[in-house]
Amino acid sequence: HNGRDYPIFSEAAKADLCAKGHCTWTENVVQPVCREVTAFLAGELDADGGTTVIYWACGDGSQIEVIGDLTADDCKTATFKGPSVHQLGQRTVLAPAVRYFVDRFADAKNGMYIFLTDGELHDLDDVKRYTIRLCKEIAANKRNPVKCVLIGIGDAINEAQMEELDDLDSGTDVDIWDHKIAKEMRSLMDIFAEVVSEHQIVAPGGRLFDDQGNLVKQYTDGLPAKIDFAMPASSTFFELEVMGQRIKQSIVV
């Protein structure tokens, strides 16, 4: 790692080092954040009431280990202590994890993927190239929308890298990445909810009408919390029909 060799200990060696007082286990700072984020995804966003969780940056840094599909209740009590098949990687390689979710859930109407990291990314250029390609495919309607959030935990993260990815210019209007620093958040879920609000489904369906009673837009697969639509500049109000009721909203320019 960064030109230096580091030993990788077996479980028996770790236990022996701790027993003899040479080492101690540090606090698992990732687990509480992971529980909160995954439970929110499973309970508030996923249509099936669950979310897929993986360990990434395993082995040589490019491998992943799938934990499985967890419900919100599962997530709140899950033990995220590290991969069981692979060692934790000596490098932090993000691109394979992003590809895993994007490819596996290519049919998802809106993909929302959260990545927690306590280290520095070693494949930033690869992630940027893949992101630009993804943005262009989404802009060309060849792929469904995707949103990714990188959450940094601890003191070893490289925030400059995270900002660079967040501010990436893809040459399109598509914005895939957002980043957060866990220790700077007033409330993790409050700030996280702002990021995902446009993907949250708040009603089974809905219809929008202009001030002339014309149908402007219809949502048959669920009404998202954030919607975009166009009406004539002369329109003075619009109406949202949802759950058998119409809500009138005046337009103030």
Side-chain angles (χ1 to χ4, degrees):
H1 176 62
N2 289 339
R4 298 178 60 184
D5 292 333
Y6 292 87
I8 299 177
F9 299 110
S10 66
E11 293 301 319
K14 294 175 188 176
D16 186 57
L17 286 169
C18 291
K20 293 178 179 178
H22 298 302
C23 296
T24 58
W25 287 105
T26 57
E27 180 185 2
N28 184 347
V29 296
V30 173
Q31 179 167 275
V33 180
C34 191
R35 283 175 174 172
E36 196 170 3
V37 170
T38 54
F40 183 86
L41 285 171
E44 301 295 332
L45 291 180
D46 195 281
D48 298 326
T51 190
T52 301
V53 185
I54 69 169
Y55 290 120
W56 59 284
C58 303
D60 63 359
S62 65
Q63 295 173 301
I64 66 170
E65 185 173 311
V66 179
I67 298 175
D69 298 329
L70 306 182
T71 66
D73 289 338
D74 292 336
C75 294
K76 292 175 183 177
T77 58
T79 300
F80 298 107
K81 63 180 181 179
S84 57
V85 177
H86 304 97
Q87 291 278 356
L88 286 173
Q90 295 300 304
R91 299 168 67 242
T92 304
V93 182
L94 177 59
V98 180
R99 289 192 183 97
Y100 169 82
F101 285 111
V102 171
D103 292 344
R104 177 176 172 181
F105 300 105
D107 294 335
K109 186 175 180 180
N110 289 292
M112 168 63 64
Y113 311 117
I114 313 301
F115 302 92
L116 307 183
T117 180
D118 60 357
E120 178 178 355
L121 300 179
H122 293 93
D123 67 334
L124 180 61
D125 289 339
D126 287 342
V127 176
K128 289 164 66 175
R129 283 191 291 268
Y130 179 69
T131 299
I132 291 173
R133 190 178 76 194
L134 201 57
C135 287
K136 292 180 178 178
E137 291 177 356
I138 294 171
N141 293 319
K142 295 180 179 179
R143 187 184 288 272
N144 291 333
V146 170
K147 187 68 178 178
C148 298
V149 183
L150 188 62
I151 299 180
I153 304 171
D155 299 321
I157 57 175
N158 186 330
E159 188 173 0
Q161 280 188 331
M162 300 173 75
E163 291 175 347
E164 189 174 345
L165 189 56
D166 195 339
D167 298 334
L168 180 64
D169 183 3
S170 67
T172 72
D173 293 330
V174 179
D175 180 20
I176 286 181
W177 284 100
D178 192 10
H179 88 282
K180 302 294 179 185
I181 307 300
K183 67 180 181 181
E184 296 177 358
M185 294 182 180
R186 299 184 306 273
S187 169
L188 178 62
M189 286 302 102
D190 286 346
I191 299 177
F192 184 65
E194 294 176 7
V195 177
V196 303
S197 61
E198 62 187 285
H199 298 279
Q200 188 169 3
I201 300 300
V202 296
R207 297 192 297 171
L208 276 164
F209 298 89
D210 64 17
D211 57 358
Q212 302 300 313
N214 299 312
L215 180 64
V216 175
K217 201 164 187 178
Q218 184 167 349
Y219 299 89
T220 57
D221 296 327
L223 179 68
K226 180 180 178 180
I227 57 178
D228 296 306
F229 58 94
M231 293 196 308
S234 59
S235 298
T236 59
F237 68 87
F238 66 87
E239 287 185 301
L240 173 64
E241 183 181 84
V242 58
M243 305 289 287
Q245 298 183 351
R246 280 205 181 190
I247 303 168
K248 183 178 178 179
Q249 176 63 55
S250 298
I251 297 174
V252 179
V253 180

